[in-house]
């Protein structure tokens, strides 16, 4: 599989037996669980690289929104990739879309898949429950992978009977554009990024600077394309809170992992950022 095979071979090579079997893996059919921004992006990249994909979520409405977002994203890609040949671009878009089907019943589709990529809420209990259920229906050769950005892969894999066929595949948003996929323990980027974002929130909470001034300072002084509050709204305050809460449970004494009262309040009010229309900033 073009976009994850090398990652998977490294991820499942913890033993000589796993390494030997990994060499025989041919991923043709992919199931992506979760139709949000990340799941839809993963499905798009998988389909665009020649794989048949089933995108799974809880309702048809969510999946319809996901397919619409994938089509819009593909047209942007095609416009750049096939600037001199619009007809080829249209064919690329249609071929990719035709490779993606949808379902609201994960258990009914994983029996014929080679790779399951989970991209649901960043919550260990939810992920464990999902993988424990899918483990009963998936074929023996099927590889499970989580797009978690903060949780320990071992903690998720232990909910299944296929620890030697379980990987961490942390994509970055937007998936079709970002080049990095992390598959090693530690999740380097988020381990550095999230404490930075939380320190920006604490600066604001202490009254040291306004969120606007902090964003402006980091864009002008550090050359970042987004300030921390803009990025928090883009990522989703609920997603960031899940990460911080999980880290806090593992190491409550670490000052980097302390919860934020203002973020907790915004999430409790369903103000998650751009996707809800309001977070630290308001969006039309």
């Amino acid at each position: 599989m073009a976009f994850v095979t090398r990652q998977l071979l490294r991820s499942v090579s913890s033993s000589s037996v796993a390494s030997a079997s990994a060499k025989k893996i041919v991923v043709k059919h992919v199931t992506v669980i979760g139709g949000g921004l990340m799941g839809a992006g993963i499905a798009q990249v998988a389909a665009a690289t020649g794989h048949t994909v089933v995108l799974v979520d809880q309702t048809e409405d969510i999946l319809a929104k996901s397919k619409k977002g994938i089509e819009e994203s593909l047209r942007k890609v095609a416009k750049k990739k096939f600037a001199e040949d619009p007809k080829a671009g249209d064919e690329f878009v249609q071929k990719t879309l035709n490779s993606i089907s949808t379902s609201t019943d994960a258990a009914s589709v994983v029996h014929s898949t080679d790779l399951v990529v989970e991209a649901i809420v960043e919550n260990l209990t939810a992920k464990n429950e999902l993988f424990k259920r899918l483990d009963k229906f998936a074929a023996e050769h099927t590889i499970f992978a989580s797009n978690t950005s903060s949780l320990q892969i071992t903690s998720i894999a232990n909910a299944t009977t296929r620890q030697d066929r379980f990987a961490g595949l942390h994509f970055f948003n937007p998936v079709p554009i970002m080049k990095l996929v992390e598959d090693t323990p530690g999740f380097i980027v988020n381990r550095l990024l999230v404490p930075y974002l939380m320190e920006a929130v604490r600066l604001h909470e202490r009254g040291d600077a306004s969120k606007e001034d902090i964003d402006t300072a980091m864009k002008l002084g550090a050359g970042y394309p987004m300030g921390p509050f803009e990025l928090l709204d883009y990522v989703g305050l609920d997603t960031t809170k899940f990460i911080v809460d999980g880290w806090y449970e593992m190491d409550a004494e670490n000052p980097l992992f302390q919860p934020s009262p203002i973020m907790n309040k915004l999430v409790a009010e369903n103000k998650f950022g751009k996707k809800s229309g309001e977070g630290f900033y308001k969006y039309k």
Side-chain angles (χ1 to χ4, degrees), residues 1-9 27 115 117 169 171 181:
M1 184 173 185
F3 80 121
V4 297
T5 301
R6 291 189 295 275
Q7 310 290 347
L8 288 170
L9 291 178
V27 178
L115 172 67
V117 182
L169 286 175
F171 292 81
V181 177

Side-chain angles (χ1 to χ4, degrees), residues 4-172:
V4 297
T5 301
R6 291 189 295 275
Q7 310 290 347
L8 288 170
L9 291 178
R10 290 198 294 270
S11 297
V12 299
S13 61
S14 57
S15 70
S16 58
V17 174
S19 180
S21 62
K23 295 177 182 178
K24 301 176 183 178
I25 296 172
V26 177
V27 178
K28 295 182 179 179
H29 307 290
V30 182
T31 298
V32 180
I33 313 293
L37 283 175
M38 296 303 295
I42 295 168
Q44 175 183 328
V45 171
T49 51
H51 306 88
T52 58
V53 180
V54 180
L55 181 60
V56 180
D57 213 307
Q58 295 177 325
T59 69
E60 294 292 350
D61 287 345
I62 293 174
L63 291 168
K65 184 178 179 181
S66 300
K67 286 294 289 282
K68 182 180 178 181
I70 291 172
E71 182 174 358
E72 291 174 353
S73 177
L74 282 169
R75 295 204 179 280
K76 291 179 182 178
V77 172
K79 189 175 181 179
K80 293 182 179 179
K81 188 175 182 180
F82 301 95
E84 304 300 323
D85 191 351
K87 183 179 179 180
D90 290 340
E91 292 174 353
F92 163 77
V93 172
Q94 199 55 53
K95 181 180 179 181
T96 303
L97 287 174
N98 289 343
S99 296
I100 303 174
S101 59
T102 60
S103 175
T104 57
D105 185 1
S108 69
V109 298
V110 296
H111 68 280
S112 59
T113 196
D114 303 310
L115 172 67
V116 175
V117 182
E118 166 271 313
I120 65 170
V121 64
E122 190 71 350
N123 179 276
L124 180 61
T125 300
K127 293 180 188 295
N128 281 347
E129 289 177 354
L130 172 68
F131 279 119
K132 184 176 182 180
R133 182 165 66 92
L134 297 185
D135 195 37
K136 301 174 183 177
F137 296 95
E140 184 178 354
H141 78 279
T142 302
I143 296 168
F144 284 178
S146 175
N147 186 56
T148 180
S149 60
S150 64
L151 301 173
Q152 293 181 336
I153 295 301
T154 302
S155 299
I156 307 174
N158 284 342
T160 76
T161 60
R162 58 187 77 212
Q163 288 88 345
D164 63 332
R165 285 153 290 150
F166 203 107
L169 286 175
H170 178 215
F171 292 81
F172 288 81

